[in-house]
Amino acid sequence: MAEHSGFCSGVRRALDLAEKAVQGGKGPVYTWGPLVHNPRVVADLKEKGIEPLTDLKGVPPGILIIRAHGAPPEVFEEARQRGFTILDGTCPSVRRCQRIAAQLAQEGKEIVVVGKRGHPEVVGICGWSGNRAVVVENPAEGQERYFTKPVGVLAQTTQREENFRDVVAVLKDRVPDLEVFQTICGATRLRQEAAVALAREVDAMVVIGAKTSSNTMELVKLCRQTGVPVYHIESAAELCREWLRNKDRIGVIAGASTPDVTIEEVIKVMVDYQRSEGQNIEDMYASTLRTIQEGEIISGKVVRIDNDEVLVDIGYKSEGIIPFQELADKQISSPEEVVKVGDEINVYIMKVENSEGNPLLSKRRADHEQAWAKLAEAYETGQPIEGEVLQVVKGGLIIFVGLRAFLPASQVGLRYEPNLEKYVGQTLRVRVIELDRSRNKVIVSQKVVLEEELEAKRAALWQELAEGQVRKGTVTKLTDFGAFVDLGGIEGLVHISELSWARVKHPSEVLQEGEEIEVMVLGVDRERERVSLGLKQVLPDPWDGVGEKYPVGSIQEGIVTHIVGFGAFVQLEPGVEGLVHISQLANHRVAEASEVVQVGEKVRVKVLDVNEKDRRISLSIKEAAEEKAREEFTNYQEEADTASGITIGEVLGDLLEEKEAEEVGDTEAAEETGENEE
Ligand code: SF4
């Protein structure tokens, strides 16, 4: 049996989701397309009431499970609109491809997906690129493509590595600016490596998996390339006795969508055939059994520690010996630094018996083997692992994850990290992105872990965000039209008009990049993934109580902020502006406001009207000027009166008396001449 075979973590996850959805009993449960490419699994799910859909129209809403292959964004959107509850079973490795495709599209690059045209995973990835990605199945197709822009190339997760490499090689010759994303998933790689390794050791290979399963078909191709006969079956019923005849060793591997029960059935039928052919597999196996074998890892108990060796009881007829240099990878000065008497440890059998009949053991190699096994599992499942950064080397960091692994500088952070020294001694969570035991190569990435954490945070934040909330954020970018603010994974825009109650020419007048601020959520558009924010809404409103501050009839000072055809706007304080209508600019006819005032000029205005609700204030420069003239005249008169010793009342009183006397004189004269008779 191949070392890696059967259900991968992505498929298991999607199946678990389906099981839980049915158990939850909250209405009908559907899957978007068959959950896995395996007719038996799909039939089992149907029996449990889980229906695969390829069209949502006319279907009563229920729970819709997105399969591990993922789906284009339109499917999510339509499902939401039709009232379905979505359980997203997209495999994290596929999700990564979708994110890369979306990012490349956003950057305006051309996108190539190396994969099978029409495969649901490929359809989904293309969908996330806004259907801008082109699919290339093989190097020949790559030769036919022409590109005018920088290109990003990624692989369908179940691609054969060799095919991807060949397509990339072709593209490299044709595209000067090519960015390559290695997106073949860990489970696929391990199965492919295991298939080739096993095929090289056996007389025939049996590959179990659906004919529609992309990863199974790749396993078949790879096994065939080794030259052994390969039999591809979907179930035990297809096994043929003839295939096994006269063959000593048959290898078996199953694709990532093949259930355990099918694998077990195939093995059982094969064993039955062998038995009926007169060979007893169990007997054959038993005859090869030894108590211990070289290369085996077994556990034992430390029974004695000497300066140069450690004795371990492994249940063999004699105790095993670990030579000092086989205790640990790192430098040690005494065995006690690594083991103590009574410890249960794992040991690797280097030699079944030395010249004195003792097994020769190695703890160092056992640790090594276990570390490889742990890394292989982490690689397959995609589970992050922890490791301590040991040193900075050219191009990245060395991190200890049971073995020394390489963390490329480009995979350290979400953005380029110029200072790698600061990581030395730190424990990081990383994912194994490349594992090649034959070349002793382990490459890890912290970036993908951070990206996923960010993605999870983003998803949670999208759920939480609501209009009217006040949230903390960091200003990430200033543009002419506003400021982008990171709310913790999601960026929102504060439009320039929402930055301040006052008029703002450029966001840099109010904010700086990197500044931490509080903003109000003004709008959330989940479909277009847009968030509108407001800064002024969390600041005191200068229009509050403006009527009391600037009463009608009062004279105020302000600054002309801008001039329009019908007048000029005057700022009384930041955020509070009033209009001086053109008719209120001067006491003569004005054709254009600029004849009277200039932007930036300080002016005296009289408040004619205040409408707090509509945020309008009417002002008059003309009336303010008239009032000032009146005031000045009054002052002048008062000063003049004081200087002559005669008050204005007295002057007016004398003038009045003179006038009355004149009128009396005129009347008397008229009576004498009879002018008043009718
Ligand atoms: S084959 Fe790989 S990408 Fe596909 S579901 Fe399995 S783990 Fe995920």
Side-chain angles (χ1 to χ4, degrees), residues 8-11 68-69 91-94 121 157-158 185-188 215 256 380:
C8 62
S9 56
V11 167
H69 293 132
C91 172
S93 302
V94 177
E121 180 191 325
T157 54
T158 48
C185 84
T188 299
N215 74 83
E380 172 161 4

Side-chain angles (χ1 to χ4, degrees), residues 96-113 125 128-130 132-133 149-155 177-181 183:
R96 181 171 167 244
C97 295
Q98 295 172 344
R99 269 204 310 270
I100 291 171
Q103 179 67 31
L104 288 169
Q106 210 177 23
E107 289 168 8
K109 293 185 177 163
E110 295 198 54
I111 306 150
V112 174
V113 180
I125 295 170
W128 284 92
S129 76
R132 291 181 45 196
K149 292 187 205 158
V151 176
V153 56
L154 59 140
D177 192 353
L178 181 73
E179 202 175 351
V180 181
F181 297 89
T183 50

